């Protein structure tokens, strides 16, 4: 029954922007251990205080819009969105309603191996509300540190077709805002929150079904689970002859279910009107040119470069694009050596996991080109790759200015050109495994790998695999 339906999702994503101060005041926009440490008179809405726009908020807003090829309005303004809540002392939030600074554009990402592209409806600038804390005291406590923190809200068209797509999209968006330096993008720590609008429709139907909105989802996994659950629930209702009523929902990750929060209020309830305390924002070409200089190649563009130009696997390319600095390190190394696959292998399997383990950044390598020395060792065939990774790497990584070949020499791992020493080991292995030799001769030729492995082990990785293979086959009588 579910297979006759299509899931439709549109997202509203709030991104916390990295700035020195808040959106409309000089209060610090930084993590504070103490509640209400970043709450001055403007944040607390004392009478007579006036907001002032933060130019850095605007810079970063425009940069994000440009990265998605969006249309940046040359003139836009702020609105007041009214609602009553203890953590909103002004009684309204400053946002953009009628004329957001940015419309249209697309976000591209890879989902299950295929490129998907999502249309952006618009992006607007706004401020965050404070936080009500219900579980630390008999009464509710309010912390205004978050009140007035600069946000961008990205509203997409209803272009997603599954929870998995939403999860992959959020991963791409996280990378993108980090590459652009506009947010730390950490969803679990709240710098990224997303409302998921979900509806279903019978396949082939063109019009959209009624939707429900799941509020404040704060992890990729929760987004996927909440959407999958909600789509199933709606299909069951429709199949039983019911109709979907537009509702605001909360996702409960413990029970993995959505619950009704309130019937969705109509837009008029917010009594939007233009913010009289802030002038309209006017943007000219010079400003746009200045911001455009800060654009960088997006993660998906770097992904394609890794896959198409350097012929890396999709998995390695996705891994390397996790961090901007990682792709930059790869491109630097690949511009000095044509061992594209070996460079990726060394980074993905060894260097980056090692840095992760010791909790250090790649900047600890003062001269990153020295990493190529290890690539050379892997490539020149003087030592088996497994021995290089297992025995040389742990010694070398402590100080990469060492010559890895010297380390291999000291550990007596270098394969000599003369491989005659193998003959004695091969004879020894054959004597010790007579039953397997018989089986091999009867046709179980897959045992060759076993024999080679034994010799390799006894030789301490010094056997050259090709020489070993021909000698082994000869000794077994093939
Ligand atoms: P509102 O302002 O009332 O929240 P919008 O029309 O601006 O409504 O849409 C908000 C979000 O809901 C957008 O991300 C949009 O793509 C999504 N959306 C709208 N209609 C549907 C639908 N029928 N199914 C899924 N998502 C939808
Ligand atoms: Mg909405």
């Amino acid at each position: 029954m579910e297979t006759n339906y299509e899931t439709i999702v549109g997202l509203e994503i709030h991104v916390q922007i990295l700035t020195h101060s808040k959106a409309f005041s000089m209060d610090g926009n930084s993590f504070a251990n103490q509640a209400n440490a970043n709450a001055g008179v403007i944040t607390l809405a004392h009478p007579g205080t006036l907001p002032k726009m933060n130019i850095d908020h605007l810079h970063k807003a425009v940069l994000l819009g440009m990265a998605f090829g969006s249309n940046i309005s040359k003139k836009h303004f702020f609105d007041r969105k009214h609602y009553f809540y203890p953590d909103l002392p002004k009684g309204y939030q400053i946002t953009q309603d009628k004329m957001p600074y940015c419309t249209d554009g697309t976000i591209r990402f890879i989902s299950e191996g295929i490129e998907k592209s999502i249309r952006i409806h618009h992006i607007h600038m706004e401020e965050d509300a404070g936080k009500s804390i219900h579980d630390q005291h008999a009464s509710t406590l309010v912390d205004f540190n978050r009140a007035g923190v600069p946000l961008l809200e990205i509203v997409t068209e209803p272009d997603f077709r599954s929870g998995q797509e939403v999860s992959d999209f959020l991963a791409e968006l996280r990378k993108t805002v980090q590459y652009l330096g506009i947010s730390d993008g950490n969803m679990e720590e709240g710098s990224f929150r997303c409302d998921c609008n979900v509806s279903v429709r019978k396949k082939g139907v063109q019009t959209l079904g009624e939707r429900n909105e799941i509020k404040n989802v704060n992890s990729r996994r929760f987004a996927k689970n909440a959407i999958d659950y909600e789509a199933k629930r709606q299909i069951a209702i429709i199949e039983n002859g019911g109709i979907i009523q537009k509702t605001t929902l909360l996702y409960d990750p413990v029970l993995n279910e959505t619950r009704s929060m309130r019937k969705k209020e109509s837009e008029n309830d917010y009594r939007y009107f233009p913010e009289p305390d802030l002038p309209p924002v006017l943007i000219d070409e010079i400003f746009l040119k200045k911001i455009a200089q800060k654009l960088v190649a997006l993660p998906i563009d770097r992904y394609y470069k890794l896959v198409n130009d350097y012929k890396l696997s999709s998995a390695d390319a996705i891994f390397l694009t996790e961090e901007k600095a990682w792709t930059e390190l790869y491109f630097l190394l690949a511009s000095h050596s044509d061992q594209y696959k070996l460079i990726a292998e060394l980074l993905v399997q060894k260097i980056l996991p090692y840095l992760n383990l010791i909790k250090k950044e790649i900047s600890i390598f003062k001269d990153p080109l020295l990493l190529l020395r290890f690539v050379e060792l892997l490539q020149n065939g003087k030592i088996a790759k497994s021995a290089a990774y297992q025995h040389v790497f742990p010694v070398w990584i402590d100080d990469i200015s060492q010559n890895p070949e010297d380390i291999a020499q000291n550990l007596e791992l270098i394969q000599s050109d003369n491989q005659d020493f193998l003959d004695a080991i091969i004879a020894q292995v054959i004597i010790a495994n007579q039953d397997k030799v018989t089986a091999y001769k009867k046709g179980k030729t897959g045992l060759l790998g076993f024999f080679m492995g034994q010799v390799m082990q006894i030789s301490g990785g010094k056997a050259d695999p090709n020489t070993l293979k021909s000698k082994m086959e000869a000794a077994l009588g093939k």
Side-chain angles (χ1 to χ4, degrees):
M1 137 184 122
E2 272 161 32
T3 51
N4 298 331
Y5 286 84
E6 188 174 35
T7 304
I8 312 279
V9 185
L11 301 179
E12 296 159 278
I13 306 136
H14 291 94
V15 185
Q16 272 186 9
I17 304 304
L18 286 171
T19 54
H20 241 30
S21 53
K22 289 188 178 176
F24 301 106
S25 78
M26 289 305 288
D27 286 340
N29 174 25
S30 58
F31 178 79
N33 277 320
Q34 200 190 345
N36 296 309
N38 296 335
V41 289
I42 296 180
T43 295
L44 294 174
H46 282 207
T49 56
L50 289 172
K52 188 173 174 223
M53 192 190 71
N54 181 341
I55 190 72
D56 198 24
H57 188 191
L58 180 66
H59 275 229
K60 286 171 172 155
V62 171
L63 184 61
L64 186 67
M66 281 184 165
F68 299 140
S70 301
N71 177 32
I72 308 292
S73 314
K74 292 277 175 61
K75 178 179 178 182
H76 53 95
F77 56 82
F78 291 98
D79 296 285
R80 290 184 179 181
K81 177 182 183 178
H82 297 83
Y83 56 99
F84 176 79
Y85 217 73
D87 55 28
L88 188 76
K90 287 200 296 287
Y92 58 86
Q93 185 185 14
I94 304 178
T95 179
Q96 295 186 318
D97 178 41
K98 285 284 172 309
M99 229 196 239
Y101 82 94
C102 170
T103 53
D104 305 322
T106 49
I107 306 185
R108 297 172 302 134
F109 59 102
I110 307 287
S111 185
E112 299 182 289
I114 300 169
E115 177 174 327
K116 193 57 211 188
S117 130
I118 296 295
R119 290 168 301 154
I120 294 170
H121 180 272
H122 76 268
I123 311 178
H124 66 255
M125 299 166 67
E126 63 181 26
E127 58 176 339
D128 212 340
K131 221 187 223 166
S132 299
I133 302 160
H134 305 290
D135 57 3
Q136 286 181 15
H137 195 268
S139 356
T140 291
L141 305 175
V142 194
D143 180 0
F144 292 103
N145 283 344
R146 203 181 65 186
V149 161
L151 300 178
L152 293 177
E153 179 172 339
I154 305 169
V155 180
T156 79
E157 297 289 352
D159 288 349
F160 298 94
R161 293 294 174 268
S162 70
Q164 184 60 47
E165 278 182 14
V166 168
S167 167
D168 294 334
F169 165 88
L170 291 171
E172 187 72 14
L173 188 60
R174 193 269 301 157
K175 292 184 202 177
T176 303
V177 296
Q178 286 177 345
Y179 275 46
L180 294 170
I182 69 172
S183 172
D184 67 22
N186 194 329
M187 222 175 157
E188 276 75 12
E189 285 168 19
S191 51
F192 229 70
R193 301 192 299 275
C194 144
D195 302 339
C196 307
N197 296 270
V198 183
S199 66
V200 297
R201 67 180 173 195
K202 275 240 164 77
K203 280 189 182 148
V205 173
Q206 293 302 311
T207 51
L208 293 174
E210 184 59 279
R211 71 183 144 119
N212 284 331
E213 180 174 3
I214 311 164
K215 278 282 176 201
N216 279 331
V217 180
N218 66 355
S219 93
R220 285 173 56 201
R221 193 163 52 84
F222 292 169
K224 178 181 182 303
N225 292 347
I227 290 163
D228 291 348
Y229 173 88
E230 177 59 18
K232 273 196 190 132
R233 195 184 68 87
Q234 291 184 16
I235 292 168
I237 291 175
I238 295 170
E239 283 289 309
N240 286 324
I243 50 164
I244 306 299
Q245 282 204 322
K246 196 171 177 182
T247 312
T248 302
L249 305 168
L250 274 185
Y251 173 66
D252 180 334
V254 179
L255 298 176
N256 185 29
E257 62 179 32
T258 53
R259 267 203 300 276
S260 171
M261 196 167 132
R262 56 181 138 90
K263 285 270 175 300
K264 194 158 168 66
E265 62 277 73
S266 81
E267 207 157 290
N268 293 338
D269 283 349
Y270 290 127
R271 293 178 297 119
Y272 281 104
F273 67 74
E275 165 62 67
D277 291 339
L278 287 164
V281 181
L282 301 175
I283 291 179
D284 61 14
E285 285 299 329
I286 299 171
F287 181 84
L288 291 179
K289 280 216 179 81
K290 193 173 137 196
I291 305 288
Q293 286 170 357
K294 296 190 187 146
L295 283 172
V296 297
L298 295 182
I300 187 161
D301 298 325
R302 296 181 197 214
Y303 168 87
Y304 280 125
K305 192 169 168 181
L306 292 169
V307 169
N308 296 333
D309 298 357
Y310 295 99
K311 308 287 177 227
L312 300 191
S313 70
S314 174
D316 280 357
I318 287 189
F319 192 100
L320 287 171
T321 55
E322 280 294 310
E323 303 253 352
K324 177 160 158 267
W326 295 358
T327 60
E328 279 163 7
L329 176 63
Y330 181 84
F331 292 136
L332 173 74
L333 297 180
S335 70
H336 286 82
S337 155
D338 60 4
Q339 296 299 312
Y340 304 143
K341 286 211 152 88
L342 280 182
I343 297 171
E345 184 185 285
L346 178 66
L347 291 183
V348 169
Q349 294 184 20
K350 285 289 179 180
I351 302 282
L352 299 174
Y354 166 80
L355 291 176
N356 193 27
L357 192 74
I358 64 166
K359 300 209 169 9
K360 288 268 159 47
E361 304 289 323
I362 54 179
S363 53
I364 65 161
F365 301 125
K366 293 285 167 285
D367 180 2
L369 288 179
L370 288 174
L371 295 170
L372 287 175
R373 285 190 160 189
F374 203 89
V375 172
E376 215 170 282
L377 179 73
L378 293 172
Q379 178 212 345
N380 68 19
K382 291 187 184 164
I383 162 171
K385 206 193 231 179
S386 55
Y389 280 140
Q390 266 178 39
H391 303 297
V392 182
F393 184 85
V395 181
W396 172 77
I397 194 66
D398 280 340
D399 171 12
I400 64 166
S401 68
Q402 304 173 83
N403 184 352
E405 203 175 313
D406 292 346
I407 298 173
Q409 199 98 51
N410 288 340
L411 296 171
E412 296 179 356
L413 290 169
I414 300 284
Q415 295 164 358
S416 61
D417 292 339
N418 183 348
Q419 295 270 310
D420 290 349
F421 70 96
L422 288 180
D423 297 338
I425 304 178
I426 289 172
Q428 180 192 339
V429 167
I430 284 183
I431 289 167
N433 296 282
Q434 278 303 320
D435 49 338
K436 290 207 171 65
V437 173
T438 314
Y440 178 89
K441 288 194 167 148
K442 282 191 183 148
K444 269 192 103 178
T445 50
L447 283 168
L448 183 65
F450 163 79
F451 291 116
M452 287 179 60
Q454 293 287 305
V455 177
M456 208 34 121
Q457 206 177 2
I458 297 172
S459 78
K462 271 180 275 184
D464 166 53
N466 286 328
T467 315
L468 170 58
K469 183 158 185 270
S470 49
K471 276 179 183 287
M472 194 77 234
E473 281 174 345
L476 287 165
K478 187 189 159 196

